[in-house]
Amino acid sequence: MKEIKIAVIGLGYVGLPLARLFSTKFSTVGYDMNQSRVDELMNGHDTTLEVSDELLQEAINKNSFFCTTNLEIIRDCNFYVVAVPTPVDENNRPDLKPLWGASETIGKVISKGDVVVYESTVYPGVTEEECLPVVEQVSGLKFNVDFFAGYSPERINPGDKLHTVEKIKKVTSGSTPEIADLVDSVYNAVLINGTHKAPSIKVAEASKIIENSQRDVNIAFMNELAKIFNAMGIDTHDAIEAASSKWNFIKLSPGLVGGHCISVDPYYLIQKAQVYGVLPRIMSNARRLNDGMGEYVANQTIKLMNKKGVMVKDAKILLLGITFKENCPDIRNTKIVDIYTTLSEYTHNITIFDPWANTERVKKEYGIEIFNGQMQQLEGQFDTVILCVAHKQFEGQNIREFLKDSSVGVVYDVKGVLDRDLIDGRL
């Protein structure tokens, strides 16, 4: 094959870090339909904070990487990588519209001999049954005759500065043995820890679903334990700490399962399993349990307020954090909104403070106004405080200073990170 020229379709949390990394070895173009996103990146800043300004500007200045909304610019590429979202609809059914759109985009520019690799998380079969027929139809080319395909599931962990994209071991696959080798070699050229070459595209697709579904089920077990032990008056974290003294215990903590991966991807396999006549009870139950934890946290907090004589109706409540995880601006599918919604049935005096979240994006996505001032301005104002996200800005903070009356008010710790002397309850 001729010299590799890469186009990455979709410049979000997955696509941008990957495109920047590819640009260290290959001529790379990032394509996105959002002009403001492209302008932001070409000005040397990534608002997702996944790629540092220094690395981004270095790639752009070396002329090995640039971003565009112009489809014609990626026409001379020959290795296309799709990194678009794979959401679910309001009924938790897979929404393949972004993938279909990206496949149509590629169909308009792909040429004979080119390769398209999908990274978006899907159920087994989506690449070959849903995406490639669109490429064929739009391009007029025949799959595995005129163009070829691969699948390499993304393993980006938003906000994680330890397991960055270049350090992640990637699963790769191809539509023929030769293309599998080619895809594997392209990824190996930029990865420190190499790859695992799967025997087929469907196996590679299945591997990604397993990763996220397993974690979802494991966290659901911890959340179920938390509900049981809270009812029994046992501190769940103490019990987990004791159990983890055994060498083969898998130590996890209860918590809210949000974001665009663990809380979404299992639905893809759940839906596909039912097509084959299999009812995935464990996965389905895990999803229901984890999806209900925001409401559970709110109700536990209300119970504590009642016990301490704090009037719930019209109470002033502070939620610390709204992003789906700590030290990350990602608000996609955050379960903090479920806490907010449940508490809103009793009071509209709810303030959310999050130094990482973009106030405009929160307003647009959820219709919620969040506090945009300094944290110190919030001291001494609230009846109840819930630590929702363990941002580094909250470390070492005396959370009770936000209460009107430190001796009466309620502090609830969702993350289990606060000093036990400062809290009234935790998940």
Side-chain angles (χ1 to χ4, degrees):
M1 187 173 179
K2 53 191 176 182
E3 178 187 358
I4 298 291
K5 298 183 70 174
I6 297 176
V8 176
I9 314 300
L11 297 175
Y13 282 87
V14 174
L16 178 66
L18 185 66
R20 200 286 310 174
L21 181 61
F22 274 139
S23 75
T24 61
K25 294 293 179 67
F26 305 101
S27 174
T28 305
V29 181
Y31 174 82
D32 199 288
M33 294 188 298
N34 186 337
Q35 186 65 56
S36 62
R37 173 65 169 163
V38 168
D39 292 342
E40 161 199 314
L41 296 176
M42 290 306 292
N43 285 325
H45 179 64
D46 168 30
T47 54
T48 71
L49 305 182
E50 290 303 299
V51 176
S52 69
D53 291 357
E54 181 182 6
L55 284 177
L56 182 58
Q57 292 165 15
E58 179 184 2
I60 292 172
N61 292 337
K62 286 183 176 179
N63 295 319
S64 59
F65 174 61
F66 69 95
C67 308
T68 185
T69 58
N70 187 346
L71 197 57
E72 290 304 309
I73 291 179
I74 65 172
R75 188 178 293 279
D76 65 343
C77 295
N78 53 30
F79 194 94
Y80 297 92
V81 179
V82 176
V84 297
T86 46
V88 293
D89 64 18
E90 62 275 7
N91 297 311
N92 292 322
R93 293 175 301 197
D95 178 4
L96 299 179
K97 288 193 290 291
L99 272 178
W100 290 331
S103 300
E104 184 176 344
T105 294
I106 289 169
K108 294 175 181 177
V109 296
I110 198 168
S111 302
K112 284 189 176 183
D114 291 355
V115 176
V116 53
V117 177
Y118 289 84
E119 288 229 354
S120 306
T121 304
V122 292
Y123 59 76
V126 167
T127 299
E128 293 158 296
E129 298 166 11
E130 297 284 349
C131 298
L132 298 178
V134 175
V135 178
E136 282 187 315
Q137 182 180 11
V138 175
S139 67
L141 302 177
K142 188 168 180 59
F143 171 52
N144 266 354
V145 174
D146 300 317
F147 75 95
F148 305 89
Y151 183 80
S152 179
E154 60 91 359
R155 278 178 169 167
I156 295 293
N157 186 22
D160 189 339
K161 302 308 177 186
L162 178 61
H163 302 96
T164 50
V165 62
E166 67 272 12
K167 298 176 184 176
I168 296 170
K169 186 170 185 176
K170 290 270 285 171
V171 174
T172 65
S173 63
S175 56
T176 70
E178 295 77 18
I179 295 302
D181 289 340
L182 173 64
V183 172
D184 197 62
S185 66
V186 170
Y187 278 90
N188 260 309
V190 295
L191 296 174
I192 294 172
N193 293 317
T195 61
H196 173 93
K197 188 166 62 175
S200 71
I201 287 176
K202 285 185 178 179
V203 168
E205 290 170 326
S207 72
K208 177 59 178 177
I209 288 290
I210 290 174
E211 292 173 27
N212 289 344
S213 297
Q214 181 188 62
R215 188 158 174 79
D216 195 38
V217 169
N218 285 343
I219 296 173
F221 175 56
M222 294 299 167
N223 281 335
E224 190 163 62
L225 290 178
K227 287 185 172 184
I228 295 169
F229 292 149
N230 285 341
M232 298 173 68
I234 297 172
D235 188 288
T236 308
H237 293 268
D238 286 346
I240 291 172
E241 196 64 37
S244 66
S245 63
K246 190 182 180 195
W247 63 91
N248 61 352
F249 180 79
I250 300 172
K251 187 178 180 181
L252 292 171
S253 299
L256 305 178
V257 183
H260 195 67
C261 290
I262 298 176
S263 65
V264 174
D265 297 342
Y267 287 119
Y268 275 70
L269 189 55
I270 289 170
Q271 188 269 350
K272 193 62 175 179
Q274 293 172 353
V275 172
Y276 283 86
V278 178
L279 181 61
R281 290 184 176 86
I282 293 176
M283 292 173 59
S284 298
N285 289 339
R287 279 283 71 241
R288 280 193 292 271
L289 197 153
N290 285 341
D291 269 350
M293 289 306 291
E295 182 181 1
Y296 174 78
V297 165
N299 287 328
Q300 287 294 105
T301 303
I302 290 169
K303 185 183 293 186
L304 286 170
M305 293 171 71
N306 285 329
K307 285 184 176 179
K308 292 193 73 173
V310 178
M311 180 70 70
V312 178
K313 187 177 185 305
D314 297 327
K316 294 192 70 175
I317 299 176
L318 173 64
L319 306 184
L320 292 174
I322 193 171
T323 62
F324 93 89
K325 64 183 296 187
E326 64 275 5
N327 306 323
C328 172
D330 195 347
I331 61 169
R332 293 176 297 176
N333 200 31
T334 173
K335 297 305 176 185
I336 313 305
V337 172
D338 295 344
I339 300 176
Y340 177 91
T341 301
T342 303
L343 292 174
S344 294
E345 296 178 20
Y346 301 89
T347 177
H348 295 294
N349 300 320
I350 303 174
T351 300
I352 299 176
F353 174 71
D354 192 315
W356 286 82
N358 182 291
T359 55
E360 293 179 3
R361 288 182 182 174
V362 173
K363 175 68 174 176
K364 181 179 179 181
E365 184 70 21
Y366 301 108
I368 297 173
E369 299 272 4
I370 67 174
F371 180 73
N372 200 23
Q374 297 298 312
M375 184 163 55
Q376 289 72 20
Q377 296 174 255
L378 297 170
E379 293 179 1
Q381 295 189 34
F382 299 94
D383 302 299
T384 295
V385 181
I386 305 177
L387 178 72
C388 302
V389 189
H391 291 313
K392 60 185 179 183
Q393 286 87 347
F394 303 147
E395 291 178 6
Q397 180 76 34
N398 184 351
I399 302 298
R400 302 201 77 84
E401 290 180 352
F402 295 109
L403 297 172
K404 295 177 184 175
D405 186 339
S406 179
S407 63
V408 176
V410 170
V411 172
Y412 191 88
D413 182 8
V414 174
K415 302 296 292 185
V417 296
L418 296 176
D419 187 322
R420 228 179 281 198
D421 294 336
L422 297 176
I423 65 174
D424 298 283
R426 60 178 179 174
L427 189 59

